[in-house]
Every structure is written in C-alpha cells, then in structure tokens.
Amino acid sequence: MNESPRTRRILLVDCDAFYVQVARLEDPEGAGRAPLLVVGGSSGRGVVTSASYEARAFGVRSAMPSAHARRLCPDCTFVPVPIGACAERSRAVRAALQELAPVVQAASIDEFYLDLTGTERLFAGETFTESAWRIREEVLARTQIQVSIGGGTRRVIAKLATRRAKPAGVFVVPEGGELDFLKTLELGDLPGVGPTLVEALAKKGLVRVEDGLRVQEPWLQNWFGHRRGAWLYRKMRGMDNSEVDPHEGRKSISSERTFFEDLDREEDLERRLLELSGSVGATLRRKGFRARTITVKLRDHDFHTRQHSRTVPEPVESDQAIRSVAGELLAELRAQRRVPVRLLGVGLSGLLERGAPHQLGLFETEAVAGETERDRTVSHIVDELRDRFGTDAIQSGRLLDGPTPGRRPRPGKE
Amino acid sequence: MNFTITRQNLHSGLAAVSASIPSKTTLPVLSNILFEAREDGVWMSGTDLDVAVRVKVPADVKEQGSLTAPGKKLQEITRELPDQPVEVTTRGDQIELKCGRSHFKLNGLPAEEFPTLASVDFSDAWDVEGKDLHALIHHTSFAVSTEESRPILNGVLWELRDGEMRMVATNGHRLARMGIPAGTSGAPSADFIVPPAALQQVQRLFKDEDRLSVAKSGNHLGFRAERTEVFTRLIEGTYPNYDQVIPRDSDKLAIVDKKALESAVRRMAVVASDQTHRIRMMFEPGRVHLNVLTPDLGEGHDELEIGYDGEELEIGFNANYLLEVLRYMPTDEVKIAFKAPERAATMEPVPADGETIDYLCLVMPLRLLD
C-alpha cells in the first residue's frame, strides 16, 4: 500500500450571517424586507447575535449590547433569534453536506469542516475549487442557505481562506501556495493569536505573518517562552495536523502563563489571576459560549502541578463571575501548599452556547445566580471597548498598579 | 464506669448514634462515641461537629463515669454478640465488653477530648409533633441545593409562627413549600435555615407520636424528645425572598393524573439531552403533548388526556425536576398552574373534598426560544 501521506483536501463551509438569513427565511414579509436587520437583543437588555452585512456597515457587531447597536443604527429592525428554526436549518445544511462529502464536522451551528481527501477520482472531472463551488450551489439549492467556503490542505488554512471567501464566495488555497497565502495575512488573523500577543509581537516589529516568517524558532522561544514560541512558529507556517472529526465539539477554553520569575505573594498571584480570568472570559464571549465549570491550575516552582475545579449552578460568562470563582479556587490551592509558583492557568469547560435553551432561575441576585444581568452587560461593554480602542482601553484598576508581577522585564533605556 | 445492658439496647443505641459519625475525619475522637453512664441510664453521643446526636438507653449502672470508644468497631462487635446481657467497664482509656464467653478490649480516648455538644437551653422551647415535622421534612428537603457555591440554599428554611409552621427548600430552579397548622404555644415567631443532614437525623430518630421540644441557643438548634436529642449548627444568612417568586397570576390551570404524567415524563426523559434534560409540553384543551428532540440522538412524542380548557401553550422543562416534584405530590391528581413559557409553573395536590393540603412546588421552565 502507498504509505506516503496524501494531500489533504479540507473545506470550511461557513454560513453567511446565518441568524440573519434564517430570520429572513422564516419571516419573508417582515425580516425578509429589512436590509438593516439585527437578530437578537430585541428584548432591550440583550446583546446582538448577528447583524446583516448592511447593518454591519454601521458598526453593528455580534455580542454588542443591543442598546448600543440601536444608537449606531437607529433604522435597524430588531428581531428575536429564531432559535428553533436556526437549529433546524443548521441540521438541514449538515444533512446536505453529509451527502456531498465523506467526513463532516459541525464546528458550530453555522460552520462545518469537510474532509474531501481521497475523493480526487470520484470528482475527477472537476478541480478542488470547482468542487467547492458545486457544494456551495447544492447547499443553497437544497436549504436556501448562502454559504462561503474556504479550502486548503489543512484545517487552519481552510479556516483562514473562508474569511477571504466571504460573503457568498469560494476561496481555495492551492497545494503549495500556503505560505504565499499566509504572507498576505496579519499575525492577528491567525487563530489563537489574541490581542495581547499581537501587541507583544508588534513590540518586536512583527505585524504581518511575512514579518514573523523571517524570525527563527529559538528567537521566538526566547521572546515568548519555549512552548508558545514553538507554537507560534508552527502557526505562522500554517502547520496543523488536526483531523476533521465528525464528533468533535468545542470542549474548553483556557489560558495559562509561565512567569518570568516565580511568584509567591498572594497579591501578585491574584493580579495575574485577574488578568487570566479576563482573557478566558473574553474568548468565551467572543465564541458565544457560557461556561459551567471553572478550573484553576498551579505549577509550583518544583514543577508540582495541581488544579481545582468548580461547577457553578448557572452557566456564567462575565469576568466578574469567573474571577470570583477562580479567586476562591486559587485561595484553596494556596492554602494547601504555599510555595513559589511557576505557572498559573484558568480554564473554562462545560461550555453551552449562549443562545442554547437554558434553565431559567428563580432568583436574580448575585449570591444565588452567580452573576447578574448587570455583570454580563458590563463584560460585553468592556469587550466592545477593547474591540474598538485596543486591550488597554479599559483595565481593572488592580492591573494598573505598577508592572505586572512575573512578566519578563522589557529591556529599557536605563 | 461500669454498667450492664442488653445486647438489643446497646445495639439500638449504637445504631442511632453511629449514623452521625463522619466516615472520614482528621480528628480521631470524632470517629468515637461518647458513653456517659448516669444513675438513670447511659447516654451515647456522636457528632461530625455540624450535627450531634445524643440518645439515652436503659442500663443497670453500677459505677458512673464516661469514656469515648470507636463507634464503628463497637457496632460491628455488638452485631455479632449473642443475645445476652453485656457488661461494659472501663480500665483507664480502654473499654471492656463481656458477653457470655466473649470478651473484648478496645482502645478509647478520654471523654474530655470529645467536643462539647452545643448547649441548647430548652426552657423556652417550641412544642412540635413528630408527625408534623416528618411531613414537612419529607415534602421539602429534597429540593435543597447541593451546590456549595450558594450555601444559603443548602439549607431548609423553617418558619415557625403562632398557629402555623412552614418549610421551604429550593435550588434556585425548583422550589417546595409546605405549611402545617401547629398549636399555639405562645413561643415567639422564628426562622431557621437548617442543614438537611440534621433533618435527616430528625426523621430517622424521632417517631410520629413523639412530642418534640425545639429550642435555639446562639447559632444552634436543638430537637429533644424523651430519650433522644439532635443538635445542629444553623446556616447563617438571609434566605432569598421566596414568596416574591411564587406566581399569583397564573391563569392557565391543568388537572393531571399524577401517575400517568410521571410515566410519560419518564419515557420522554430517556431521549432528552443529558445536559439539559429538556422536554417540551404543549398544552391544548383536553390534552397535553410531550415532545423531546435531541440533536444527534433522536426524538420522542407522547400525549395525555388532561383537564385543561385554556389557550394553547408550549413550555419546556428539565424532566428531572418535574419527576422529583411529582414524586412528592401526596394526591393522585395534581393541579398545574402556569401563565407563559418563561414564567414559573406551580404544582399543587388536589385533595379530597373537605381536606386541605398546604403544599406547593414550583418549577422554572427551560427557555425554548430567545
């Protein structure tokens, strides 16, 4: 048998403004006639789930408090999320894709990875790009849903190509063209490269992927830590061996930091914890999830690693709720063993989609519900400010108090 | 200390107390039982520091005294002893048991090392009937929260009023409330938040016909009948205003056969999501449809004839919450009242004519649509 690795053919099918499309299909006379359409947040205190491309031109974004969206675009029509219909349409798209491709993985309600590896002979008459166009047209014909398709030899390439394909298009990165494609992107476009890292990279003069490709791996490791440096090195080259797994769903979000020097003071650890909680919280909200389980991980100076988790009664999404539980978990871990700490991490699991059906609570007080509507709104507003003005636009007061403990000191002019 | 006791009395005393002993403890004396031989009998006590149990068993006391000894071992030994009188003596910190030809010596610890049980003053006590207390505990304590993150809901709220007492428990998603007319003892009104572990001991140790004295001193509550005492630490804090969340404006009423609904919900629950346990109930005149649809698993449908003449309404529930609440409903028929898909639904028993049962359970729905 031929053991040499076959060129993989991976597509990411992403529904264009999915909630907006479904809302229009469900109510052709109402939502269907409103070009400026916002889905979600119609109750007044909620957040935007999705906005039409026309509304996006006014600056309306998903996860934005709807009051703010109304200010940006007073002529927008707001409709509730047709959750049931969305789930139905999502299943329909998936079912259609399952007939068109051998392996389909639903990455979210409106994103599906397809693995067409090994179908070269089956679709002998057409190129990979033509296959993608055919799939796009078939999905539209069968489900009335417009999709954009990105393609490539790896999942991460397909994912990045989808952005280029949107809206209603196809963009396939040819085999061997990956590096050229990546060179056209900014480092911040790479999945997993968040605002903090973008800033850190910019301080080294690295903004575009092209800039990063010139840096050797040991330098990256030197600057950003061994593991992160190696990860970045691979990421910039689009190296990704992950499979398209039909059973995989997002399971957790976590962030951890190895300190430049071990930390032993409670207040220093608490400050870093605050920062990590904010970082995982922002990712959680950006992905549209709420979490039920919060985990804090500690690696002591002697590499002894331990962690504590707590599952809260109601899924939470606000920084306030995450850091309050994380703070208690850290205190428990420290009470057990109080030695200098090398690494601190915060993880969120038990993820539920924000719009998913959830258990309503009897009481709205924080002591009972874990977080209040106010906590959620505050976090969304903070996200929005950071999206517009950068990560440093708004900070917790405690993080402003002097240099961050345990961070590598920046070589300054002394 | 020296006393002679029947094997039966020793066994029942140990059985009563040893359930309050923690299975794992960092304080060795807590796995022991305290024996106190007095003129009128032997008191045995056990505690896990939150709840303490004390019982008196009849014995022929020759020499008064006290000692603590390992509870579990004593219970195992007593279970295997022949049905003959047991002579218990102490020698230093050892306890000695003689029964027929069997002879045991176990290492104990001095009585002084045993934690002092909460001293509750019973001179100003409420009078409560065992059966009333049992009914309240049985119908409400299942609903307490087991989440450590909200300690206040880890307890049962017990409201003592002149002429009435009530218990309420909730985990924030579903709630149970029961009231019972009580005699007027003249004692002042009081609210306690009692850990369910203590209430379990009360249910286990007191009989329906017992008349209990209940008293509070400091942060401890004591229950006392002739030969049995239970003490517990109370949960501190303010219980959420439960009365405010009980809907008074529900305009849709359904009368449902409890058993039929229970089995239909149980069937639907099989196909419900492991995470949310969500089922949908669609009420229409004369009928309720139960539906479940779980992506990647499948779907189910069932329907029941019910007494209902309101508007059509679809409402989602966690099947487990419905089943729990139904299990404790004391009548064959139950009345379900609701108003809208995102408002609390209440369930009440439908008693025979002339009877009244002050019992209400409340279940918050699962959101179906945004």
Side-chain angles (χ1 to χ4, degrees):
Chain A
M1 265 187 74
N2 183 4
E3 288 292 320
S4 72
R6 263 199 295 220
T7 307
R8 297 201 295 157
R9 312 205 318 156
I10 292 170
L11 296 179
L12 176 62
V13 177
D14 189 340
C15 307
D16 298 330
F18 179 61
Y19 293 92
V20 170
Q21 281 201 66
V22 176
R24 286 181 168 158
L25 288 169
E26 289 299 304
D27 180 14
E29 294 303 310
R33 291 187 176 204
L36 294 172
L37 185 67
V38 174
V39 179
S42 54
S43 61
R45 294 208 300 169
V47 293
V48 173
T49 301
S50 183
S52 67
Y53 286 100
E54 293 87 338
R56 288 180 197 190
F58 286 81
V60 179
R61 296 281 178 271
S62 57
M64 173 183 279
S66 57
H68 186 74
R70 268 176 225 276
R71 278 198 300 277
L72 289 174
C73 182
D75 296 332
C76 276
T77 305
F78 284 72
V79 295
V81 180
I83 285 283
C86 288
E88 220 167 276
R89 299 272 179 179
S90 173
R91 277 195 297 275
V93 171
R94 188 174 177 175
L97 292 172
Q98 275 163 343
E99 286 184 27
L100 298 165
V103 183
V104 178
Q105 174 187 343
S108 71
I109 193 164
D110 59 354
E111 277 184 314
F112 305 85
Y113 279 102
L114 312 184
D115 191 342
L116 295 181
T117 311
T119 58
E120 294 84 349
R121 287 202 191 142
L122 190 63
F123 306 133
E126 60 187 17
T127 63
F128 191 27
T129 308
E130 283 165 352
S131 300
W133 276 109
R134 180 174 52 79
I135 289 170
R136 205 198 98 76
E137 302 311 323
E138 278 285 330
V139 170
L140 180 61
R142 293 190 197 189
T143 66
Q144 295 176 272
I145 297 289
Q146 291 271 5
V147 298
S148 297
I149 301 184
T153 51
R154 293 157 219 158
R155 273 176 64 145
V156 61
I157 300 286
K159 168 102 187 162
L160 290 167
T162 309
R163 287 189 208 159
R164 199 61 63 85
K166 273 182 173 289
V170 165
F171 188 85
V172 172
V173 178
E175 188 187 354
E178 291 87 358
L179 270 186
D180 287 335
F181 169 66
L182 286 163
K183 279 181 188 167
T184 63
L185 303 174
E186 301 213 336
L187 285 161
D189 294 332
L190 299 176
V193 179
T196 321
L197 188 51
V198 167
E199 256 171 69
L201 286 160
K203 293 220 164 89
K204 299 282 173 207
L206 310 178
V207 176
R208 306 186 62 79
V209 174
E210 198 175 359
D211 308 331
L213 289 172
R214 296 200 198 99
V215 183
Q216 289 172 336
E217 190 171 5
W219 278 105
L220 290 172
Q221 291 181 323
N222 201 5
W223 290 337
F224 304 108
H226 188 83
R227 246 186 79 189
R228 207 139 97 120
W231 172 85
L232 202 55
Y233 184 82
R234 293 175 55 78
K235 210 74 191 177
M236 290 189 298
R237 282 156 182 77
M239 289 153 89
D240 174 16
N241 292 323
S242 59
E243 297 286 334
V244 175
D245 174 358
H247 303 293
E248 191 199 273
R250 190 168 184 107
K251 293 184 185 73
S252 66
I253 291 168
S254 65
S255 178
E256 50 187 58
R257 294 278 183 282
T258 302
F259 305 130
F260 177 66
E261 52 193 1
D262 296 344
L263 294 185
D264 201 18
R265 295 189 335 162
E266 298 319 304
E267 56 200 85
D268 290 347
L269 284 166
E270 282 162 22
R271 276 181 66 189
R272 295 310 299 260
L273 188 78
L274 195 63
E275 193 182 78
L276 288 165
S277 305
S279 148
V280 288
T283 310
L284 180 81
R285 293 187 293 276
R286 195 163 56 241
K287 304 274 177 197
F289 286 108
R290 286 187 177 154
R292 281 209 65 197
T293 303
I294 294 147
T295 303
V296 171
K297 173 175 161 187
L298 269 192
R299 181 167 297 146
D300 293 330
H301 67 103
D302 55 359
F303 283 84
H304 180 68
T305 307
R306 53 228 172 86
Q307 61 181 47
H308 270 196
S309 297
R310 182 176 306 159
T311 298
V312 294
E314 318 284 348
V316 294
E317 63 175 40
S318 70
D319 288 347
Q320 170 61 35
I322 295 167
R323 69 175 170 240
S324 116
V325 176
E328 287 170 31
L329 293 170
L330 176 66
E332 284 169 27
L333 285 163
R334 292 289 287 167
Q336 282 173 0
R337 190 166 189 255
R338 209 176 291 275
V339 295
V341 175
R342 182 186 160 76
L343 170 148
L344 181 64
V346 176
L348 303 174
S349 49
L351 305 185
L352 299 165
E353 277 178 44
R354 194 189 294 129
H358 68 272
Q359 174 69 51
L360 299 167
L362 271 170
F363 308 103
E364 254 296 326
T365 55
E366 193 174 331
V368 177
E371 70 182 1
T372 60
E373 192 60 41
R374 188 173 163 273
D375 294 333
R376 290 193 274 268
T377 310
V378 166
S379 290
H380 283 292
I381 291 172
V382 168
D383 289 345
E384 193 192 326
L385 285 170
R386 288 188 175 152
D387 278 351
R388 292 183 60 186
F389 303 112
T391 317
D392 289 337
I394 181 163
Q395 285 292 350
S396 164
R398 291 181 60 194
L399 292 178
L400 294 175
D401 194 18
T404 310
R407 180 170 285 171
R408 184 188 174 86
R410 299 204 172 98
K413 300 178 196 110
E414 284 179 60
Chain B
M1 181 172 81
N2 180 338
F3 61 88
T4 306
I5 186 169
T6 64
R7 188 203 76 96
Q8 191 49 43
N9 281 339
L10 181 61
H11 186 251
S12 62
L14 288 169
V17 174
S18 53
S20 65
I21 291 178
S23 50
K24 271 188 203 159
T25 173
T26 46
L27 205 59
V29 75
L30 291 186
S31 37
N32 284 9
I33 284 175
L34 172 67
F35 289 85
E36 293 168 293
R38 303 271 171 78
E39 211 171 316
D40 56 342
V42 175
W43 284 95
M44 298 184 198
S45 313
T47 182
D48 63 1
L49 294 180
D50 285 326
V51 179
V53 167
R54 197 159 173 255
V55 297
K56 189 170 84 170
V57 285
D60 178 14
V61 178
K62 295 193 187 73
E63 191 191 322
Q64 298 187 23
S66 55
L67 185 74
T68 76
K72 197 155 178 283
K73 287 293 165 203
L74 279 172
Q75 208 187 357
E76 285 170 12
I77 289 170
T78 312
R79 192 184 304 134
E80 304 302 334
L81 285 178
D83 230 345
Q84 287 175 28
V86 186
E87 191 191 349
V88 182
T89 48
T90 52
R91 249 176 250 291
D93 284 348
Q94 274 197 328
I95 194 163
E96 218 177 306
L97 274 76
K98 278 185 205 154
C99 177
R101 294 184 188 186
S102 312
H103 189 180
F104 296 90
K105 282 182 191 166
L106 290 176
N107 295 332
L109 287 166
E112 299 74 58
E113 284 191 25
F114 199 77
T116 349
L117 301 186
S119 57
V120 171
D121 176 9
F122 282 92
S123 61
D124 207 6
W126 291 269
D127 260 357
V128 180
E129 299 229 12
K131 70 169 168 43
D132 291 347
L133 205 47
H134 287 170
L136 291 180
I137 297 171
H138 174 73
H139 287 97
T140 57
S141 61
F142 75 91
V144 294
S145 163
T146 50
E147 310 269 1
E148 55 183 312
S149 55
R150 35 189 183 186
I152 201 81
L153 298 187
N154 295 154
V156 177
L157 173 68
W158 185 13
E159 298 176 328
L160 277 158
R161 302 283 180 273
D162 204 25
E164 195 200 9
M165 57 178 184
R166 266 184 179 180
M167 278 193 191
V168 180
T170 179
N171 69 346
H173 295 154
R174 45 113 172 87
L175 174 148
R177 183 200 73 189
M178 188 176 221
I180 277 183
T184 46
S185 61
S189 294
D191 287 0
F192 309 123
I193 304 172
V194 193
L199 296 175
Q200 260 175 32
Q201 298 294 348
V202 168
Q203 263 186 312
R204 209 172 59 83
L205 296 170
F206 297 101
K207 298 189 198 72
D208 271 358
E209 54 276 17
D210 278 339
R211 278 204 77 82
L212 279 77
S213 299
V214 177
K216 183 190 172 204
S217 291
N219 193 31
H220 285 88
L221 193 66
F223 300 79
R224 175 198 261 177
E226 202 188 339
R227 291 158 176 270
T228 310
E229 293 175 351
V230 173
F231 302 98
T232 177
R233 193 190 293 277
L234 290 168
I235 296 174
E236 284 174 274
T238 314
Y239 204 79
N241 186 347
Y242 72 88
D243 201 50
Q244 208 174 38
V245 300
I246 296 177
R248 316 247 180 257
D249 56 349
S250 296
D251 51 1
K252 301 180 178 63
L253 295 181
I255 304 289
V256 185
D257 182 86
K258 179 184 123 160
K259 285 229 171 67
L261 181 60
E262 236 180 335
S263 22
V265 172
R266 205 173 289 131
R267 282 192 291 273
M268 291 300 106
V270 176
V271 192
S273 137
D274 288 341
Q275 271 192 339
T276 63
H277 307 284
R278 181 179 64 159
I279 63 163
R280 288 159 181 264
M281 293 174 87
M282 167 80 185
F283 288 87
E284 62 176 39
R287 198 174 290 271
V288 62
H289 298 265
L290 292 98
N291 286 303
V292 55
L293 194 158
T294 309
D296 301 330
L297 179 59
E299 50 187 276
H301 175 88
D302 215 320
E303 55 184 71
L304 289 180
E305 273 158 29
I306 58 168
Y308 180 71
D309 55 7
E311 294 164 36
E312 266 190 20
L313 182 123
E314 190 175 36
I315 185 165
F317 287 110
N318 176 326
N320 288 351
Y321 287 160
L322 283 183
L323 288 173
E324 264 180 333
V325 164
L326 282 167
R327 187 181 315 141
Y328 291 97
M329 281 289 144
T331 55
D332 293 342
E333 284 189 322
V334 294
K335 180 173 88 180
I336 305 177
F338 44 90
K339 184 176 174 69
E342 300 206 353
R343 301 283 294 276
T346 56
M347 221 183 268
E348 287 173 273
V350 182
D353 288 342
E355 210 187 332
T356 53
I357 305 175
D358 176 10
Y359 184 41
L360 174 137
C361 289
L362 179 157
V363 183
M364 279 305 278
L366 276 160
R367 177 169 287 170
L368 292 177
L369 301 166
D370 190 37

